[in-house]
Every structure is written in structure tokens, then in C-alpha cells.
């Protein structure tokens, strides 16, 4: 880094990932970090999620990226708008963005688990319902096997992560028990509402305009963040591995 140098940045708590805004200054042999809030616990560097990190995401990076997206959406939500219709458009944008951030997280997490090892890949292929219906000719076994990884990755990228019923089923392959998460029904309702916001300009099935309050958006953020925390806890417990692979 050329000296003198200064930049606004963000560091995250290593335990709860609370963001801390800071200023980084470098002048000759002096390196200085100035925090805007009092620190609690230890911190780690966050920076920005660059393309290389995004292409090779880990559970930690996926969770970090989710929280970065939510942090940005919160800033947008806090913008004061006097006109009602403009304020509603902003709230709808943020509401939809929260669901998109969750879907991105779920997609990255599930792919990383499926490709964790040969065991997890085999378990997914063996238990994923659509694959059970496929029939393979004997002369195509090797070509199918050699392209299996690419096929699975492609299918998972096209999987509909906002279909809660299907989402619970695929995550249950690895013992996540998403149906036990207490807010899963609330998130399902919010996803249906997002569908109306995006595809019906905010009208419900009876053509009634659906108002979105800032309190409702904040409740959704709380629910999705709790789901991310629930999944992250399961990952740390390595729920997706059988006992013989845990030791």
C-alpha cells in the first residue's frame, strides 16, 4: 500500500459477526485503525466479497455475504421518504431483496454441503427424489458418472430455493430438520408475498394492494437471519455426516 493511505472499511466480530465501521490509515511505518463504536470481543477482516471468493464460497463466506447484503438493505430501508407511493416502492424493493439474499445463501450452502465429500455427493444423488426416477442404459454408465458433478451442480443452481416444501425435503437429506425451525411458516408466507410484489405489482390474488411497512421488513430480516443462524449451527454440528464420518 502506498503511503499515505486512508480508507473506510468494516470489520466483523468473530463470534456474532456484528459489523464495526472503521477508518484505516497508513502513513510511513504507522498503521492505524479507528473504530466508530466501542469494541466487544475479537474481530476479523471482512473487506469486500470479491469474485474469486464468491466463486469458491465456504459456509462462512456465504453467511458473511448474506449479512453484508442485509446490512446494505437496512441502510436503504432507513432512507426517509415523504411520498407514500415512493416509500412503498422502496419497502417492496428491500422486502424482495431480503428473500433474494436468503435464496443466494441457501443455494451456496447446499452446494457446498453436497460437494463436501464423496460421501455427501453420493448421499444426495441416492436420496434426491428426481434422480430416483431416472433410468440409465448400461453403455452410458461411465459417461454419466464422469459428468455427474457438473450435472448435480447445474441442477442445484436451477433448484427453486423459495419453494419451502421442496427446500425442507432436500435439506432433510442431510438432517437439517428445517421444519422444526419456528419461523419457517412466516418465511413461507413472506415468500408468497414477495411473489405478488414482483409478479403482480403488489396486488394479491383478489387484486388488493398489499402495503409493506418498515416494521414488516425488519421482522422479515429478523426471521431470515434466524434461519441463517439455525442452519449455520447445524453445519457447525456437522449434521450432514453420519457418525462413522464424524470421528
Amino acid at each position: 500500500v502506498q503511503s499515505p493511505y486512508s480508507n473506510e472499511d468494516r470489520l466483523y466480530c468473530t463470534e456474532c459477526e456484528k459489523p464495526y465501521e472503521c477508518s484505516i490509515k497508513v502513513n510511513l511505518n504507522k498503521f492505524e485503525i479507528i473504530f466508530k463504536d466501542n469494541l466487544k470481543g475479537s474481530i476479523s477482516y471482512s473487506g469486500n466479497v470479491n469474485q474469486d471468493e464468491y466463486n469458491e464460497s465456504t459456509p462462512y463466506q456465504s453467511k458473511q455475504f448474506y449479512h453484508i447484503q442485509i446490512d446494505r438493505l437496512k441502510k436503504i430501508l432507513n432512507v426517509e421518504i415523504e411520498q407514500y407511493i415512493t416509500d412503498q416502492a422502496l419497502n417492496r424493493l428491500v422486502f424482495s431483496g431480503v428473500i433474494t439474499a436468503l435464496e443466494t445463501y441457501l443455494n451456496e450452502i447446499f452446494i457446498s454441503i453436497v460437494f463436501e465429500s464423496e460421501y455427501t455427493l453420493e448421499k444426495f444423488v441416492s436420496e434426491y427424489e428426481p434422480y430416483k426416477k431416472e433410468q440409465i442404459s448400461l453403455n452410458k454408465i461411465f459417461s454419466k458418472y464422469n459428468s455427474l458433478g457438473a450435472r448435480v451442480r447445474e441442477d442445484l443452481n436451477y433448484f427453486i430455493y423459495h419453494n419451502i416444501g421442496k427446500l425442507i425435503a432436500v435439506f432433510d437429506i442431510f438432517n437439517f430438520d428445517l421444519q422444526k425451525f419456528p419461523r419457517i411458516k412466516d418465511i413461507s408466507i413472506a415468500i408468497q408475498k414477495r411473489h405478488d410484489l414482483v409478479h403482480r405489482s403488489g396486488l394479491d390474488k383478489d387484486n388488493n394492494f398489499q402495503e409493506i411497512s418498515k416494521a414488516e421488513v425488519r421482522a422479515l430480516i429478523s426471521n431470515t437471519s434466524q434461519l441463517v443462524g439455525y442452519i449455520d449451527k447445524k453445519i457447525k454440528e456437522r449434521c450432514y455426516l453420519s457418525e462413522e464420518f464424524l470421528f
Side-chain angles (χ1 to χ4, degrees):
V1 178
Q2 292 185 346
S3 181
Y5 168 85
S6 64
N7 188 32
E8 298 296 315
D9 212 325
R10 182 182 293 116
L11 293 170
Y12 285 76
C13 173
T14 56
E15 296 298 324
C16 67
E17 295 198 18
K18 175 184 177 181
Y20 287 91
E21 303 292 336
C22 63
S23 298
I24 297 177
K25 297 182 179 180
V26 179
N27 190 7
L28 298 178
N29 64 340
K30 184 179 180 181
F31 180 83
E32 186 178 16
I33 301 178
I34 302 173
F35 291 96
K36 298 179 181 178
D37 297 315
N38 293 327
L39 292 178
K40 294 182 181 180
S42 57
I43 56 176
S44 62
Y45 181 70
S46 64
N48 296 319
V49 179
N50 60 43
Q51 192 62 39
D52 291 338
E53 290 175 331
Y54 190 76
N55 289 338
E56 300 178 7
S57 61
T58 65
Y60 172 78
Q61 289 170 336
S62 297
K63 183 174 70 171
Q64 182 187 31
F65 184 69
Y66 164 82
H67 284 296
I68 289 172
Q69 293 296 92
I70 293 300
D71 186 50
R72 291 168 179 167
L73 290 169
K74 284 180 178 178
K75 291 179 180 178
I76 296 173
L77 187 66
N78 289 333
V79 174
E80 295 294 334
I81 304 292
E82 293 183 2
Q83 296 86 356
Y84 170 78
I85 193 65
T86 306
D87 185 64
Q88 280 298 298
L90 193 69
N91 292 349
R92 287 160 55 181
L93 174 67
V94 177
F95 189 94
S96 300
V98 173
I99 299 297
T100 300
L102 176 65
E103 288 179 334
T104 302
Y105 170 80
L106 294 171
N107 170 256
E108 292 183 352
I109 283 297
F110 198 74
I111 288 177
S112 68
I113 289 171
V114 168
F115 288 96
E116 165 83 8
S117 65
E118 290 186 7
Y119 165 77
T120 53
L121 178 59
E122 181 180 347
K123 183 175 177 62
F124 174 74
V125 173
S126 298
E127 299 187 28
Y128 186 44
E129 199 62 37
Y131 290 172
K132 293 180 180 180
K133 302 173 183 178
E134 290 195 22
Q135 296 182 351
I136 303 174
S137 300
L138 190 62
N139 66 328
K140 293 184 179 180
I141 284 181
F142 285 104
S143 63
K144 289 286 187 180
Y145 176 78
N146 291 332
S147 61
L148 180 62
R151 162 70 189 281
V152 170
R153 190 176 295 275
E154 181 181 10
D155 288 346
L156 291 180
N157 278 325
Y158 281 99
F159 182 82
I160 302 175
Y161 288 89
H162 59 250
N163 186 316
I164 294 297
K166 291 183 177 181
L167 186 71
I168 290 174
V170 296
F171 269 83
D172 268 0
I173 293 174
F174 297 107
N175 307 312
F176 274 84
D177 294 326
L178 292 189
Q179 67 273 14
K180 294 182 180 179
F181 175 67
R183 298 294 183 183
I184 196 70
K185 185 176 181 180
D186 294 332
I187 292 176
S188 179
I189 293 173
I191 288 172
Q192 179 56 51
K193 196 164 193 175
R194 193 278 296 264
H195 180 274
D196 292 338
L197 296 178
V198 173
H199 299 288
R200 294 178 52 83
S201 298
L203 300 177
D204 62 17
K205 62 181 181 179
D206 297 318
N207 290 326
N208 297 314
F209 180 76
Q210 299 188 79
E211 182 178 10
I212 302 292
S213 68
K214 294 189 185 299
E216 186 176 1
V217 179
R218 293 189 179 100
L220 174 61
I221 290 174
S222 175
N223 290 341
T224 57
S225 296
Q226 287 181 53
L227 177 58
V228 169
Y230 177 89
I231 291 174
D232 188 63
K233 183 174 183 293
K234 290 281 189 177
I235 291 172
K236 289 176 179 177
E237 295 170 350
R238 297 175 72 78
C239 68
Y240 51 89
L241 295 177
S242 65
E243 292 186 3
E244 63 180 299
F245 285 90
L246 289 172
F247 302 99

